[in-house]
Coordinates of all heavy atoms in Angstrom, one line a residue:
P276 N 115.7 163.1 26.4 CA 116.2 162.5 25.2 C 115.5 161.2 24.7 O 114.9 160.5 25.6 CB 117.7 162.2 25.5 CG 118.0 163.1 26.7 CD 116.7 163.1 27.5
G277 N 115.5 161.0 23.5 CA 114.9 159.7 23.0 C 113.5 160.0 22.4 O 113.2 161.0 21.8
P278 N 112.6 159.0 22.6 CA 111.2 159.1 22.0 C 110.5 160.4 22.3 O 109.8 160.9 21.4 CB 110.5 157.9 22.5 CG 111.6 156.9 22.9 CD 112.8 157.8 23.3
D279 N 110.6 160.9 23.5 CA 109.8 162.1 23.9 C 110.3 163.3 23.1 O 109.4 164.1 22.6 CB 110.0 162.4 25.4 CG 109.3 161.4 26.3 OD1 108.5 160.6 25.8 OD2 109.5 161.4 27.5
L280 N 111.5 163.4 22.9 CA 112.1 164.6 22.2 C 111.7 164.4 20.7 O 111.3 165.4 20.1 CB 113.6 164.6 22.3 CG 114.3 165.7 21.4 CD1 113.9 167.1 21.8 CD2 115.8 165.5 21.6
V281 N 111.8 163.2 20.2 CA 111.5 163.0 18.7 C 110.0 163.3 18.5 O 109.7 163.9 17.5 CB 111.9 161.6 18.3 CG1 111.4 161.3 16.9 CG2 113.4 161.4 18.4
A282 N 109.2 162.9 19.4 CA 107.7 163.1 19.3 C 107.4 164.6 19.3 O 106.6 165.1 18.6 CB 107.0 162.3 20.3
L283 N 108.1 165.3 20.2 CA 107.9 166.7 20.3 C 108.3 167.4 19.0 O 107.5 168.3 18.5 CB 108.7 167.3 21.5 CG 108.6 168.8 21.7 CD1 107.2 169.3 22.0 CD2 109.6 169.3 22.8
A284 N 109.4 167.1 18.5 CA 109.9 167.7 17.3 C 108.9 167.4 16.1 O 108.6 168.3 15.3 CB 111.3 167.2 16.9
S285 N 108.4 166.2 16.1 CA 107.5 165.8 15.0 C 106.1 166.6 15.1 O 105.6 167.1 14.1 CB 107.2 164.3 15.1 OG 106.2 163.9 14.1
S286 N 105.6 166.7 16.3 CA 104.4 167.5 16.6 C 104.5 168.9 16.2 O 103.6 169.5 15.6 CB 103.9 167.3 18.0 OG 103.6 166.0 18.3
I287 N 105.6 169.6 16.6 CA 105.8 171.0 16.3 C 105.9 171.2 14.8 O 105.3 172.1 14.3 CB 107.1 171.5 17.1 CG1 106.8 171.5 18.6 CG2 107.4 172.9 16.6 CD1 108.0 171.9 19.4
S288 N 106.7 170.3 14.2 CA 106.9 170.5 12.7 C 105.5 170.3 12.0 O 105.3 171.0 11.0 CB 107.9 169.4 12.2 OG 108.0 169.5 10.9
R289 N 104.7 169.5 12.5 CA 103.4 169.2 11.8 C 102.3 170.3 12.2 O 101.6 170.7 11.3 CB 102.9 167.8 12.3 CG 101.5 167.4 11.6 CD 101.0 166.1 12.1 NE 100.7 166.2 13.6 CZ 101.4 165.5 14.5 NH1 102.4 164.7 14.2 NH2 101.1 165.6 15.8
D290 N 102.3 170.7 13.4 CA 101.2 171.5 13.9 C 101.5 173.0 14.1 O 100.5 173.8 14.4 CB 100.6 170.9 15.2 CG 100.2 169.5 15.1 OD1 99.7 169.1 14.0 OD2 100.2 168.8 16.1
C291 N 102.7 173.4 14.0 CA 103.1 174.8 14.2 C 103.8 175.4 13.0 O 105.0 175.5 13.0 CB 104.0 174.9 15.5 SG 103.2 174.3 17.0
P292 N 103.0 175.8 12.0 CA 103.6 176.3 10.8 C 104.4 177.6 10.9 O 105.2 177.9 10.0 CB 102.4 176.4 9.8 CG 101.3 176.7 10.8 CD 101.5 175.8 12.0
H293 N 104.2 178.3 12.0 CA 104.8 179.6 12.1 C 106.1 179.5 13.0 O 106.7 180.5 13.4 CB 103.9 180.6 12.7 CG 102.7 180.9 11.8 ND1 102.8 181.4 10.6 CD2 101.4 180.6 12.0 CE1 101.6 181.5 10.0 NE2 100.7 181.0 10.9
L294 N 106.5 178.2 13.3 CA 107.7 178.0 14.1 C 108.7 177.3 13.2 O 108.3 176.4 12.4 CB 107.4 177.2 15.4 CG 106.5 177.8 16.4 CD1 106.4 176.9 17.6 CD2 106.9 179.2 16.8
S295 N 109.9 177.6 13.3 CA 111.0 176.9 12.6 C 112.0 176.3 13.6 O 112.6 177.0 14.4 CB 111.8 177.9 11.7 OG 112.9 177.3 11.2
I296 N 112.0 175.0 13.6 CA 113.0 174.3 14.5 C 114.4 174.5 14.0 O 114.8 173.9 13.0 CB 112.6 172.8 14.6 CG1 111.2 172.6 15.2 CG2 113.6 172.1 15.6 CD1 110.7 171.2 15.3
D297 N 115.1 175.4 14.6 CA 116.5 175.7 14.1 C 117.6 175.0 14.8 O 118.8 175.2 14.4 CB 116.7 177.2 14.2 CG 115.8 178.0 13.3 OD1 115.2 177.4 12.3 OD2 115.6 179.2 13.5
G298 N 117.3 174.3 15.9 CA 118.3 173.6 16.6 C 117.9 173.0 18.0 O 116.7 173.0 18.3
L299 N 118.9 172.6 18.7 CA 118.6 172.0 20.1 C 119.5 172.7 21.1 O 120.6 173.2 20.7 CB 118.9 170.5 20.1 CG 118.0 169.6 19.3 CD1 118.2 169.6 17.8 CD2 118.1 168.2 19.8
M300 N 119.0 172.8 22.3 CA 119.8 173.5 23.4 C 119.8 172.6 24.6 O 118.8 171.9 24.9 CB 119.1 174.8 23.7 CG 119.8 175.6 24.8 SD 119.1 175.2 26.4 CE 118.7 176.9 27.0
T301 N 120.9 172.7 25.3 CA 121.0 172.0 26.7 C 121.8 172.9 27.6 O 122.7 173.7 27.1 CB 121.6 170.6 26.6 OG1 121.3 169.9 27.8 CG2 123.1 170.6 26.3
I302 N 121.6 172.7 28.9 CA 122.4 173.3 29.9 C 123.5 172.3 30.4 O 124.6 172.6 30.5 CB 121.6 173.9 31.1 CG1 120.7 175.0 30.5 CG2 122.5 174.4 32.2 CD1 119.7 175.5 31.6
G303 N 123.0 171.1 30.7 CA 123.9 170.1 31.2 C 124.3 170.2 32.6 O 124.1 171.3 33.2
A304 N 125.0 169.2 33.1 CA 125.5 169.3 34.5 C 126.9 169.8 34.5 O 127.7 169.5 33.6 CB 125.5 167.9 35.1
P305 N 127.2 170.7 35.4 CA 128.6 171.2 35.5 C 129.7 170.2 35.5 O 129.6 169.2 36.3 CB 128.6 172.0 36.8 CG 127.2 172.3 37.0 CD 126.4 171.1 36.5
G306 N 130.6 170.3 34.5 CA 131.7 169.3 34.5 C 131.4 168.0 33.8 O 132.3 167.2 33.6
D307 N 130.2 167.8 33.5 CA 129.8 166.5 32.8 C 129.7 166.7 31.3 O 128.6 167.1 30.8 CB 128.5 166.0 33.4 CG 128.1 164.6 32.8 OD1 128.9 164.1 32.0 OD2 127.0 164.1 33.2
Y308 N 130.7 166.5 30.6 CA 130.7 166.8 29.2 C 130.0 165.8 28.3 O 129.8 166.0 27.1 CB 132.2 167.0 28.7 CG 133.0 168.0 29.4 CD1 134.3 167.9 29.7 CD2 132.3 169.3 29.7 CE1 135.0 168.9 30.4 CE2 133.0 170.3 30.4 CZ 134.4 170.1 30.7 OH 135.1 171.0 31.4
T309 N 129.6 164.7 29.0 CA 128.8 163.7 28.2 C 127.4 164.3 27.9 O 126.8 163.8 26.9 CB 128.6 162.4 29.0 OG1 127.9 162.7 30.2 CG2 130.0 161.8 29.4
C310 N 127.0 165.4 28.6 CA 125.8 166.0 28.2 C 125.9 166.6 26.8 O 124.9 166.7 26.1 CB 125.5 167.1 29.3 SG 125.1 166.5 30.9
F311 N 127.0 167.1 26.5 CA 127.2 167.7 25.1 C 127.1 166.6 24.1 O 126.5 166.8 23.0 CB 128.6 168.4 25.0 CG 128.7 169.6 26.0 CD1 130.0 170.0 26.4 CD2 127.6 170.3 26.4 CE1 130.1 171.0 27.3 CE2 127.8 171.4 27.3 CZ 129.0 171.7 27.7

Side-chain angles (χ1 to χ4, degrees):
D279 289 349
L280 174 64
V281 171
L283 175 65
S285 178
S286 296
I287 292 175
S288 178
R289 181 184 64 245
D290 300 331
C291 299
H293 299 294
L294 301 184
S295 172
I296 300 177
D297 292 343
L299 289 78
M300 178 271 231
T301 194
I302 297 176
D307 184 1
Y308 301 141
T309 63
C310 292
F311 299 153

